[in-house]
Every structure is written in structure tokens, then in C-alpha cells.
Amino acid sequence: MKVSFGKTIITPQNDGHGVPMAGYTRPFFAQGKLDDIFARGMLIEENTKESDPKRLLVISLDLLKVPLAISEYIKIKIQEQTNFGDNSEQILIHATHTHSAPDLTGEFYWPGSSLNVFRGIMFGANRNDRYIVFFTHRIITMVRQLILDLTPSKIAQATHLIEENIVINRRNPLRKSKIPLWLLVFKRIDNDQIFGILGNYGMHPTSLSNRNDKLSADYPGRFCYHIESETENKIRAIFITGAAGDLNPITTCGTDFETLENDPKARKTVYDQLGTYTHTKKLGYFLGNTALHVARAVNKDDYFDIIRIRGFTKAISITIEDKQPYVYKWGTWLTNKLVFYLKRLFLFPMALKHASGQGPNFPAMYLTYDSKKKKVKDRMKVNTLLQLLHLRLYKSINPSDVLKINLIGVPGEVFEDLAEKLIHIQPEMTSNNHIFQNSNDWVAYLFELKDYIGQGGYEPIASASPHCGQEILKKFKMFFNEIQVEIEKISFDI
């Protein structure tokens, strides 16, 4: 197998001065940068005698989200302007979800309040074509270099449970969540030295509070920076945010989990933490240092030198409807209803009215409306993409020693409970199923109906439909079943 790592700066001109910032309802535009915004890439090529070897390309962008229209545009340009190949199913575009990034969708075009976010959804439209073309061109240049830099390599995976209190489930603090840091570690064949690490950890990149007025990649950027600076750029890094829909970093809320669970005022401090760049660096450097330690401790016998890659995607549609089969609290039930119908009858129709064309037609997501459907609930839908990347690793000295890994590309922010169900879809693969959230698109926070009915809250308000999580879980189960035959055809033969 051959592997390469690369990165390119995609910070807007003038260090982002005057750029609308995505992620919070800030009352100001960006006033510069704390650190650069990057696109990072990892390219893996099968070792095969075929003239057109299969490749896997993972691109991680220091952005809040990358809507389907933009991720598809990037993939098309990569296929048109590089010799990557024509299989877009083996390209994954990920947004780390930093809340200190440039706004791409128009949602945050008018800073100041939640009402201005609604205004942005209805009328914001994409006002960032120049920036999108700019960073896509940078990505294409990076991919060309990745192809040139492909190096004979071997691969290992490693997992380390982070026991330190750095993350909190903001809806269930007493859970005292402990999230594993998962790594793919790559060594060069010629000198047996580590040269690349992919890190995957589930924690919201919100270490910087809404008072921050400068662009930053947040802790994922500091994770990569620390690995590269500590090794004098001998080891390159890429970070993928795992399931983090309800998982926040602990910066200023403290760790009195019982009080944070039971006291409404204290709970608010979990959402409204006042983290600074000091917290960002502390978290990023801690995770980066942990990754280096774990990677260096991988046993030489745990490396594989042959890989088989298969990528699969599935386009899906989810109806915009309210599902509350029972009442848990009347206040929550009523609030959920009011918010849902505000979006369903006013917000989304207004956005669709100002849309044009037949493709992705909405600043943040791809909505469609079909008046021919008999049932009103079936007329409005959000359309998105599921992706699964299957890696099968072999050892040339012992082909019967096989490791199977699934990278699950999910178009939204996955809650902790739903993530558990996603990785257990194939029980025999549980420990080797890894979630890459915000991949190729963003449609919603992805939670179970119990979270909607029981607590309601901000997350359903921000989502296209309150049952996106349940539907994506169900459709992923079907997706796994559909592609199982193709996965089983993968063989060692070279």
C-alpha cells in the first residue's frame, strides 16, 4: 500500500477580517485569526498490479459544516482536475465543526441574534462563491501533491480511552462520558518510521466561546499542530471529529457533575462556557501528545502492509415531520410542536421560495417539496448522503491475519446514545466501526426520539427534522445489508 498526507491553508484573505463567523449567534464579524484554517488530506492507495489502483481520499476541513452542494462540487473538481480516479464514493469530505470558522451558507451572514440566523436561513443564500472556489482550488493543488507523494507504507490502528475529565455530555452530565481516542498510524516501509497519524475523537470543537472574535480551527487544529511541531514535521496529522452531538469540552463549567445535572442554572453554564484560546491549546496539545504516545507504543507486529478499499454511498430522503408518539411533559410537547410548525409552515417554505434550480437549493441543506404527494407530511423532504468506507488489512507474511475497519460517514452531529446504536449495527464489527460525523453534508443533530420527547431543547430546533437521527439509523441498517455482498467479495488476491 501507499500513503501520503498533506495540508493547505484556506484562511480567507486579510486573515478573515470582516468575515461572518459560523457556529454561534455572535454580534460581530471576525477580527482576524488566532490560527490558520486548513484543509488536510490523507490519500491511501491499494497495492495491486492493476493499472488503475483503488484509492481512498479523506479531506478534513476546519469549517463548521460543508453542505452537500459544496462537498459534491469539491469531489467533481477533484475528479476533473486530478488523476485521482472517477470513484467519488471513495472520497470523504469532513468538516471538523469548529465554531470559529468562516460562514459558508449565509445562515450567519447577519450577526447578532437567533432571529438573524432565521433571517439568514430564509434569505442568506450562499454569498461565498469566491471563497469556495478559492479553497477548492487549494484542495485540488493539495490532492495533486498527495498523488505525487504516495509512499510505500504499512498501517496499524490504536485506541486509547481518555479517562481525564475533558468532555461532558451537556444533556446528561451525570453520565461522566469517557470517549476513546482512535488512531490510524502509518509507517514508511523504507525506514520503519511513523510519518502520519489520523486521529478521531468525539468532542465538540467549542473550546472557544461565543465571545471569541477571531478565526480558529479550535482544538482539532491544535491537535495537528502539536503532533507536527513536536516531531519537526516528520509526522503529519489529520483530525476527524467523532460522534459529538451532545458532547462538549470542559473549559469553565467545572466537574461537579451532580450539580450540573440537577441545577438548571448550573446546566446553562455547560452550554454557555467561556473558554479561551488557553483552553483550546490545552485540549489540543493534550490529545496530540496522547496520540503521539499511543502511536509510538504500537507493537511492530500490529502493522499491516496490504490494504483493500471499498467505498459506498447512498442518497436518502427524510420527510420533514413531527413525531411525538406520546407526551412526556406537556411544556416540552407544546414547545416542540410550535417550533416544528414554525419551520415546516414558514421558515422552510420561505427558503424554498427563494431557491432556484433542481439540485441542492438551500443554504445549509438540500430541501425539496413535492405538492403531488397525497399526504402533507410526505411533501417536504431533506435529501442527503450516507457513506461507508470499508478497509480490509492484510499482512503479506500471513494473509490469514485480517483486520476489517468501517469508517461511517454521517451527515450530521451524532448524539452519544445514537452513536452506540450505529456502531452496533454489525455486532461483530463494533470495536472497528468508527463514526466520522459531519461528512459530505449536515442536516441535523442526530438523536433518538426519546431525546426529543423527553428534553426537547436547542438541538431539535436547529435540525431539519426531529426524527433525522432515527431515520438515518434505520437507513444505515438497510445500507449495511445492501452492501454486505459486495464487502464479502473483497479478497487478498494481488
Side-chain angles (χ1 to χ4, degrees), residues 320 340-346 349 369 376-377 379-380:
I320 308 294
F340 172 78
Y341 282 108
L342 172 67
K343 293 191 296 183
R344 177 66 175 77
L345 300 177
F346 177 67
Y369 184 83
V376 174
K377 71 179 183 66
R379 292 177 182 174
M380 186 176 290

Side-chain angles (χ1 to χ4, degrees), residues 117-388:
V117 173
F118 285 125
R119 180 185 175 196
I121 290 172
M122 291 187 289
F123 308 112
N126 168 33
R127 301 169 187 266
N128 297 285
D129 283 349
R130 286 181 180 272
Y131 179 57
I132 294 167
V133 170
F134 159 74
F135 72 68
T136 300
H137 177 74
R138 287 287 180 95
I139 290 169
I140 290 166
T141 301
M142 178 184 71
V143 172
R144 289 172 180 158
Q145 191 61 47
L146 285 170
I147 294 170
L148 294 175
D149 289 345
L150 282 165
T151 302
S153 310
K154 50 187 176 180
I155 180 176
Q157 72 163 351
T159 303
H160 178 79
L161 185 65
I162 303 295
E163 296 283 1
E164 291 80 354
N165 288 324
I166 67 169
V167 67
I168 184 170
N169 188 305
R170 66 192 186 206
R171 293 167 69 93
N172 301 283
L174 265 179
R175 182 172 294 178
K176 300 179 182 178
S177 301
K178 304 296 180 185
I179 309 302
L181 172 65
W182 178 71
L183 307 174
L184 283 179
V185 185
F186 298 87
K187 280 186 173 181
R188 293 172 62 103
I189 292 291
D190 59 3
N191 63 11
D192 203 40
Q193 296 298 306
I194 298 172
F195 77 100
I197 295 174
L198 178 146
N200 175 234
Y201 186 72
M203 179 171 71
H204 246 80
T206 52
S207 66
L208 290 161
S209 78
N210 61 357
R211 296 183 182 182
N212 171 51
D213 62 359
K214 293 179 174 60
L215 299 181
S216 172
D218 210 281
Y219 80 85
R222 295 300 87 191
F223 170 91
C224 295
Y225 171 83
H226 185 73
I227 290 174
E228 292 169 354
S229 62
E230 285 294 301
T231 62
E232 298 179 335
N233 287 315
K234 292 176 182 176
I235 299 179
R236 308 298 288 272
I238 182 172
F239 186 89
I240 305 292
T241 307
D246 50 356
L247 296 172
N248 280 23
I250 295 174
T251 58
T252 61
C253 70
T255 56
D256 183 350
F257 297 107
E258 185 170 354
T259 299
L260 293 170
E261 175 83 24
N262 298 314
D263 183 341
K265 289 184 179 179
R267 176 73 68 85
K268 194 172 186 298
T269 68
V270 178
Y271 279 85
D272 299 333
Q273 295 184 70
L274 300 175
T276 66
Y277 200 48
T278 299
H279 297 102
T280 302
K281 290 186 286 187
K282 183 177 179 180
L283 288 166
Y285 295 169
F286 167 72
L287 289 171
N289 196 55
T290 303
L292 280 173
H293 176 76
V294 172
R296 287 166 172 160
V298 175
N299 191 292
K300 65 178 182 179
D301 295 330
D302 292 333
Y303 280 87
F304 297 78
D305 58 347
I306 293 175
I307 192 168
R308 290 291 173 268
I309 302 164
R310 294 295 183 276
F312 305 90
T313 58
K314 183 178 180 64
I316 64 167
S317 296
I318 301 170
T319 54
I320 308 294
E321 58 178 308
D322 184 42
K323 290 186 176 181
Q324 295 190 86
Y326 61 90
V327 177
Y328 181 73
K329 293 180 180 177
W330 279 107
T332 302
W333 181 89
L334 181 60
T335 300
N336 287 346
K337 284 288 183 187
L338 289 173
V339 169
F340 172 78
Y341 282 108
L342 172 67
K343 293 191 296 183
R344 177 66 175 77
L345 300 177
F346 177 67
L347 188 65
F348 289 166
M350 183 68 71
L352 281 166
K353 182 179 179 180
H354 290 273
S356 61
Q358 300 300 313
N361 55 356
F362 182 60
M365 59 193 77
Y366 179 10
L367 286 176
T368 53
Y369 184 83
D370 186 355
S371 60
K372 296 179 182 178
K373 294 286 185 181
K374 290 183 178 180
K375 295 182 178 179
V376 174
K377 71 179 183 66
D378 293 334
R379 292 177 182 174
M380 186 176 290
K381 295 181 178 180
V382 60
N383 306 278
T384 189
L385 192 73
L386 308 181
Q387 185 169 26
L388 184 129

